[in-house]
Amino acid sequence: MAKDSLSHKPSADPIIARHLIDLSRQAQQKNIVLFSDFLNLNELNIFHRQSSELYSGFELYGGYELSERQMIAFLPDALCYAWKFPISCLKISPVSRKFAEKISHRDVLGSLMNLGIERSRLGDILVGEAESYVFCQENIAEYLRENLTRIRNTTVCAEPASPQEIHIAPRLEMAGGIITSNRLDSVIACLCKISRSQASQWIRGGKVFIGNKETLQVTYECRPGDLISVRSVGRFRFLECQGETKKGRLKIQYERYL
């Protein structure tokens, strides 16, 4: 299987867009599957804005269902061979649990970056009480296994893992609120404890994503199960409306990812 990767610094939207469109063009012309690097929410949004200009089909995946950082596979129309995303999952464990420190997402990422790994080659990092899981490009997995031996003052080992083996359940907080309608601006105001006008500014400013897609529509009607990300604030899942108050407002339930 032929593969390629996108290497760039997210310094200018047009540059990112041109790289992605060019990968799509090459995939279609060469009749091979080409892959981007892992893209963050902003880069994914740039991609979605340019999707009408693509030459090929595409799929997105980050290694597991709720991944935030995702890779794009550009698929030619005449594809005639099996393929898979070149993504590996590594489980990072302390060699001695007795002397292990409590480590954070920042600690794991810092240790990986200290090995000279670019952020674009790494997907999501899931941190649990003891183990952590790192999604990465397949071609750097062995290097990480051999060289990631310490995080802060804790000696660790890295070993291959299947996403099905991940034993880190998302930490969720159930909450409820009162909204005037299930319009996005009203929901964001409730989730983030801000005014509706501030929520509208955030939405129009490209700060809010439904799934992994930016939405600029303040009038979007939230539906049960919508995964809502607010840049620099957090992630939420809109669950349901649970009836009305005496004043005709809606009671809602949602989950906040901790």
Side-chain angles (χ1 to χ4, degrees), residues 4 7 41 48 53 57 60 106 138 191 212 230 234 255 258:
D4 195 3
S7 299
L41 282 177
H48 286 299
E53 301 179 34
L60 293 89
R106 182 186 295 270
E138 194 174 63
L191 300 183
N212 283 331
V230 183
E255 294 173 328
L258 303 176

Side-chain angles (χ1 to χ4, degrees), residues 44-63:
L44 288 169
N45 176 58
I46 294 169
F47 167 74
H48 286 299
R49 290 205 305 260
Q50 304 296 324
S51 59
S52 63
E53 301 179 34
L54 298 177
Y55 295 82
S56 67
F58 65 88
E59 288 186 20
L60 293 89
Y61 188 53

Side-chain angles (χ1 to χ4, degrees), residues 17-256:
R18 285 198 297 271
H19 273 292
L20 296 173
I21 292 170
D22 186 56
L23 279 179
S24 176
R25 179 187 57 78
Q26 290 184 52
Q28 186 66 21
Q29 289 181 349
K30 299 177 182 179
N31 196 30
I32 56 176
V33 181
L34 299 181
F35 300 94
S36 73
D37 284 345
F38 286 100
L39 306 181
N40 61 32
L41 282 177
N42 182 59
E43 293 164 331
L44 288 169
N45 176 58
I46 294 169
F47 167 74
H48 286 299
R49 290 205 305 260
Q50 304 296 324
S51 59
S52 63
E53 301 179 34
L54 298 177
Y55 295 82
S56 67
F58 65 88
E59 288 186 20
L60 293 89
Y61 188 53
Y64 68 109
E65 183 181 2
L66 293 177
S67 57
E68 181 170 301
R69 296 176 62 84
Q70 296 187 331
M71 184 180 287
I72 305 169
F74 295 96
L75 310 174
D77 294 338
L79 181 63
C80 58
Y81 60 88
W83 64 276
K84 68 180 184 69
F85 279 92
I87 297 175
S88 293
C89 178
L90 297 177
K91 180 172 75 171
I92 313 300
S93 307
V95 172
S96 173
R97 292 179 182 268
K98 181 178 179 180
F99 299 105
E101 301 171 278
K102 177 68 176 178
I103 62 173
S104 66
H105 182 283
R106 182 186 295 270
D107 296 328
V108 178
L109 178 59
S111 295
L112 292 167
M113 301 291 277
N114 286 339
L115 294 176
I117 303 299
E118 295 182 3
R119 186 65 179 100
S120 60
R121 305 191 73 183
L122 302 170
D124 286 0
I125 298 171
L126 307 178
V127 177
E129 292 298 321
E131 288 87 13
S132 299
Y133 295 85
V134 175
F135 291 87
C136 65
Q137 291 181 358
E138 194 174 63
N139 58 7
I140 65 168
E142 188 63 27
Y143 175 80
L144 295 182
R145 287 184 60 196
E146 293 176 356
N147 292 279
L148 184 62
T149 58
R150 182 171 294 274
I151 299 177
R152 292 182 61 187
N153 295 313
T154 299
T155 302
V156 300
C157 64
E159 56 185 341
S162 163
Q164 290 73 33
E165 298 175 32
I166 295 177
H167 301 301
I168 300 176
R171 294 177 57 212
L172 302 171
E173 178 182 74
M174 186 75 73
I178 305 295
I179 58 177
T180 55
S181 74
N182 64 340
R183 278 179 33 145
L184 185 58
D185 55 350
S186 182
V187 172
I188 293 297
C190 177
L191 300 183
C192 301
K193 314 301 184 201
I194 58 176
S195 69
R196 194 162 175 171
S197 61
Q198 180 68 60
S200 296
Q201 290 179 25
W202 284 8
I203 296 166
R204 294 192 179 100
K207 195 171 180 176
V208 176
F209 298 79
I210 304 296
N212 283 331
K213 294 184 179 180
E214 178 189 78
T215 177
L216 304 177
Q217 300 298 319
V218 298
T219 58
Y220 171 84
E221 293 190 358
C222 294
R223 296 171 292 194
D226 275 349
L227 182 64
I228 302 172
S229 299
V230 183
R231 191 180 296 163
S232 302
V233 177
R235 303 176 87 188
F236 309 85
R237 188 175 293 279
F238 182 81
L239 296 179
E240 60 179 345
C241 294
Q242 296 184 310
E244 298 183 357
T245 67
K246 293 180 179 179
K247 294 184 178 180
R249 296 188 175 187
L250 300 176
K251 301 176 183 178
I252 64 167
Q253 264 200 331
Y254 63 90
E255 294 173 328
R256 183 169 70 90

